[in-house]
């Protein structure tokens, strides 16, 4: 299991409106390429977010109260794969600086039985306010020859709940 982000900032809504959601992407993998691992399950406990944030459950999760089991079909890869994309948004009436925790564990099936994550993991969610500038991901470029001209569109968006003033973007070559 991937120990995912330890912290996630989630913005408050603008002028008491609905807050935008942030994605908490939880990964799943194993480290033995000689073993087939299937039927991954992530068990998430969001009780620590009560009053702080609301959850938008993805289709591969079955919530029951504040706990959900999320399934990952097929073979679990040796390299990390984002298995669960949990949506999190600030709860109505929650205040800046409020914090809560999402806890999770993993299990999967191997030819010799059930494999469990060696420990539980958690992500602390903090409600924040302010601009949140994000640079788009232009994607991976493959097969580019040295000296070739490769146009890459770049955009900056403000995903926060307040206006950003006077930002500068500097691009450098490696």
């Amino acid at each position: 299991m991937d120990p995912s982000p330890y912290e996630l900032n989630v913005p408050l809504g603008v002028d008491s409106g609905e807050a935008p959601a942030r994605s908490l992407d939880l990964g799943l993998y194993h480290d033995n390429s000689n073993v087939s691992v299937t039927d991954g399950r992530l068990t998430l406990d969001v009780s620590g977010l009560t009053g702080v944030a609301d959850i938008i459950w993805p289709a591969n999760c079955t919530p029951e109260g504040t706990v959900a089991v999320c399934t990952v079909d097929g073979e679990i890869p040796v390299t990390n794969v984002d298995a669960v994309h949990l949506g999190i948004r600030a709860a109505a009436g929650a205040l800046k600086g409020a914090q809560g925790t999402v806890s999770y564990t993993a299990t999967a099936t191997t030819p010799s039985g059930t494999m469990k994550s060696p420990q539980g993991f958690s992500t602390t969610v903090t409600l924040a306010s302010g601009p949140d500038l994000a640079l788009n991901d232009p994607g991976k470029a493959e097969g580019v020859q040295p000296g070739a001209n490769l146009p890459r569109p770049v955009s900056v968006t403000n995903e926060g709940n307040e206006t950003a003033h006077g930002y500068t973007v500097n691009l450098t070559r490696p």
Side-chain angles (χ1 to χ4, degrees):
M1 179 171 172
D2 174 36
S4 297
Y6 294 111
E7 298 179 8
L8 177 68
N9 287 332
V10 174
L12 295 170
V14 178
D15 297 328
S16 300
E18 184 175 70
R22 287 290 186 264
S23 182
L24 175 60
D25 300 321
L26 303 176
L28 195 60
Y29 71 95
H30 67 97
D31 59 3
N32 187 343
S33 61
N34 297 320
V35 175
S36 175
V37 178
T38 59
D39 303 319
R41 295 190 183 284
L42 293 171
T43 302
L44 284 69
D45 181 348
V46 298
S47 61
L49 293 179
T50 302
V52 174
D54 297 326
I55 302 300
I56 303 163
W57 294 105
N60 63 329
C61 294
T62 304
E64 193 170 306
T66 59
V67 175
V69 175
C70 304
T71 58
V72 181
D73 294 328
E75 189 164 340
I76 306 301
V78 174
T79 58
N80 187 37
V81 62
D82 285 337
V84 175
H85 305 282
L86 188 66
I88 301 178
R89 79 174 41 166
L95 301 175
K96 177 181 174 181
Q99 289 187 322
T101 304
V102 177
S103 302
Y104 32 94
T105 58
T107 61
T109 303
T110 69
S112 60
T114 300
M115 180 172 71
K116 296 180 181 182
S117 56
Q119 63 185 31
F121 297 95
S122 65
T123 297
T124 299
V125 174
T126 303
L127 301 187
S129 184
D132 183 7
L133 300 181
L135 187 63
N136 72 313
D137 180 1
K140 189 174 182 180
E142 295 182 4
V144 178
Q145 298 299 315
N149 196 6
L150 180 66
R152 304 303 281 180
V154 176
S155 64
V156 177
T157 57
N158 182 0
E159 297 178 353
N161 66 337
E162 294 181 20
T163 302
H165 298 283
Y167 71 89
T168 303
V169 176
N170 293 314
L171 301 175
T172 60
R173 293 194 296 187

